[in-house]
Amino acid sequence: MSDTIAPPLDVVIPPGNVRCDACPVMCNIRPGLTGACDRYANAAGELVRVDPLVLLDRVIGQGGALVTFQGDAAWDGRIVRGADTFITAIGAGTTYPDYKPAPFIVSTEVDGVDMVTVVTEGIFSYCGVKVKIDTDRHLGAERSVIRAQGEPVGHVTTAEYGSQMLSLGGVGHLTGGGKKEGRVTCETLMDLSNGKPVQLTIDDGATVIVQAGHAPVVNGVREDRMRVGCGSATIGIFAPQWLGKVDEVVVVDDHITGVLSEHQAGKLLDIPPTGIRMRGRRSTPGRYFQVAHPGTGWGGTDITDPLSILDPFDAKHGRPGLRMLMVSTTGEHSAYYELDEALRPVAMPLPPVVQDSVARISENCEPALCSVLFIAGAGGSLRAGVTDNPVRLTRAVATGVTRLTSGGAPVYLWPGGGITFMVDVTKLPENAFGYVPTPALVAPIEFTMPLADYKAMGGYMDHVRPLASLDPNAPHRRVTGAAENPWPWAPL
């Protein structure tokens, strides 16, 4: 990623050079070289897109027949198979920030309906990624600053059920901070969106390596399991499996620590009081908050000795020989104790039947993964490349008349004004995202609708061309569509 200072528009371009107008940088590119984004080049005085256009082929899982592109028939020179091929915006090029029509506006017949897809790469300053990290370890307090290469690129948001959420990017980091902050933020977003590992450091928290679709690495340790639930939920799930095998169970958790004998699940099983006394703040029966500080130890707390969260047993209900299991919400940590004559817990080996219950907790933990969703607003001038009346596109997307995809992948559309979407980056073909040094992210975006609706919204009808007319000699890359993704040409 490099920095480029664009020459003023009134500067005369030397012979042989070309001025790129695909983004606001407006690079003056010398022969044989690329622009600052490495996406466009000067090829013998002609501005060309460097990356190939990506074409998706439909597979069985998307409702189509799995066929080879050429088959037994002689090749007719086309690079598409009608509605079984979808042109993504990856490698299509950009037209921002002016009103030029999108690079590709293609039509084909789908189930007897004339359809059109408007294909362009969008340049997004208003964008970011939402990261979900499956772990019960404490990564950092809410609102803590997240850094990459020492620069602030986002912040910690909420902890969801078994996961920690991060918010990275946004126009504030891309354009509102220092030059290096913007560059590093852009690089971080692009790498995460393209499925590359990125190391993030959280102020007063952990260092974590994040890669979409892979396990997180927290402070150098790979996370294997996502917790089965909070401490109270774990009691509720497994209480019957402990009946008769132990007298007390404490499930240690940073948020809600559960105690079997006091919990509703224990009451339903007629488990008698044990005299256990917990530290922290009692919420409801069998549920305790703040038994320890957050950390990377037992159940996302900072403890290494689980007995540190207990006060002495109450002699009114405690008795020598009482059996107690202490376990974390993933089953990663566990310990077994029996009370001595002074009602002090004495560590003992885990009995086999108790080992089985701990193994059952681990079995019910799902693999820990990092999830990365790219989020952006496409409600600006990008729409001018689709229609001369942009609000009609906004309304068509909101009402479902127009389908929005990103690299052929389905998106989640936010309700309300504008066109704000999120997409799971693992559902796109590889290396789908780029950048421009303004700085901003470049992401693929496609609008698909019936041709009649496109005409009605003020689309550029004189730029519509048949899908089959694409130049077979133009650089392109064929990829198989992800079977779990709906086919973009499917009926609306």
Side-chain angles (χ1 to χ4, degrees), residues 4 7 13-22 25-50:
T4 294
I13 301 299
N17 288 15
V18 295
R19 183 189 289 278
C20 177
D21 60 353
V25 176
M26 307 290 287
C27 289
N28 173 18
I29 308 176
R30 290 180 291 173
L33 299 181
T34 63
C37 65
D38 295 326
R39 299 164 53 241
Y40 286 88
N42 180 344
E46 182 181 356
L47 183 68
V48 297
R49 183 73 166 88
V50 173

Side-chain angles (χ1 to χ4, degrees), residues 161-162 226-234 237 251 253 256 328-330 365:
Y161 211 89
M226 178 181 181
R227 72 176 187 174
V228 68
C230 69
S232 173
T234 306
I237 294 171
V251 181
D253 178 35
I256 307 174
S328 66
T329 50
T330 60
C365 293

Side-chain angles (χ1 to χ4, degrees), residues 63-217:
L66 182 62
V67 296
T68 59
F69 172 63
Q70 189 169 342
D72 296 330
W75 182 40
D76 61 3
R78 295 178 301 149
I79 64 171
V80 299
R81 298 196 311 261
D84 287 333
T85 301
F86 184 78
I87 299 178
T88 77
I90 304 168
T94 50
T95 57
Y96 179 85
D98 61 39
Y99 52 81
K100 293 189 295 292
F104 293 92
I105 305 176
V106 295
S107 65
T108 193
E109 182 180 303
V110 182
D111 295 335
V113 179
D114 290 328
M115 302 290 291
V116 64
T117 294
V118 182
V119 177
T120 185
E121 287 178 307
I123 298 175
F124 295 102
S125 298
Y126 295 89
C127 72
V129 296
K130 305 302 181 189
V131 178
K132 172 176 171 284
I133 300 175
D134 300 334
T135 182
D136 65 348
R137 301 182 206 282
H138 179 70
L139 301 184
E142 292 181 7
R143 303 182 299 280
S144 293
V145 173
I146 301 171
R147 300 179 186 275
Q149 303 175 43
E151 294 294 318
V153 298
H155 62 276
V156 178
T157 63
T158 54
E160 302 302 342
Y161 211 89
S163 306
Q164 179 63 63
M165 310 299 290
L166 311 180
S167 179
L168 305 180
V171 69
H173 289 290
L174 284 168
T175 69
K179 191 173 184 179
K180 184 179 179 183
E181 178 181 340
R183 179 180 60 78
V184 171
T185 299
C186 187
E187 183 177 336
T188 299
L189 297 180
M190 184 177 68
D191 286 347
L192 286 171
S193 298
N194 282 331
K196 297 180 180 179
V198 173
Q199 178 171 298
L200 303 171
T201 301
I202 300 170
D203 285 2
D204 300 320
T207 295
V208 57
I209 296 177
V210 176
Q211 184 176 14
H214 293 259
V217 179

Side-chain angles (χ1 to χ4, degrees), residues 230-232 234-235 242 246-253 256-263 274 276-279 286 288 291 298-299 303 306-311 313 322-329 333-337 358 361:
C230 69
S232 173
T234 306
I235 292 284
W242 290 315
V246 290
D247 303 302
E248 184 63 279
V249 177
V250 177
V251 181
V252 181
D253 178 35
I256 307 174
T257 290
V259 178
L260 177 63
S261 64
E262 301 178 3
H263 195 276
T274 60
I276 193 168
R277 293 195 296 186
M278 299 292 300
R279 295 178 181 173
Y288 289 84
V291 299
W298 278 61
I303 65 170
L307 296 180
S308 64
I309 65 173
L310 302 185
D311 282 327
F313 275 70
L322 186 143
R323 304 163 297 174
M324 179 176 67
L325 170 67
M326 301 189 77
V327 64
S328 66
T329 50
H333 299 95
S334 61
Y336 175 77
Y337 304 90
V358 174
I361 294 175

Side-chain angles (χ1 to χ4, degrees), residues 124 126 376-383 393-394 404 418-421 445 447:
F124 295 102
Y126 295 89
S381 61
L382 177 148
R383 299 174 298 169
L393 175 64
T394 305
L404 173 62
I419 303 175
T420 303
F421 70 96
I445 188 166
F447 300 93

Side-chain angles (χ1 to χ4, degrees), residues 301-391:
T301 70
D302 63 345
I303 65 170
T304 55
D305 177 9
L307 296 180
S308 64
I309 65 173
L310 302 185
D311 282 327
F313 275 70
D314 184 350
K316 181 178 180 182
H317 296 291
R319 57 178 172 78
L322 186 143
R323 304 163 297 174
M324 179 176 67
L325 170 67
M326 301 189 77
V327 64
S328 66
T329 50
T330 60
E332 177 184 351
H333 299 95
S334 61
Y336 175 77
Y337 304 90
E338 293 184 5
L339 299 190
D340 64 10
E341 294 297 327
L343 302 185
R344 292 173 302 200
V346 178
M348 309 278 285
L350 276 172
V353 291
V354 180
Q355 290 180 18
D356 291 344
S357 71
V358 174
R360 181 61 60 87
I361 294 175
S362 300
E363 179 186 348
N364 277 268
C365 293
E366 296 177 76
L369 290 176
C370 297
S371 304
V372 177
L373 269 63
F374 175 77
I375 180 171
S381 61
L382 177 148
R383 299 174 298 169
V386 181
T387 168
D388 61 7
N389 196 351
V391 72

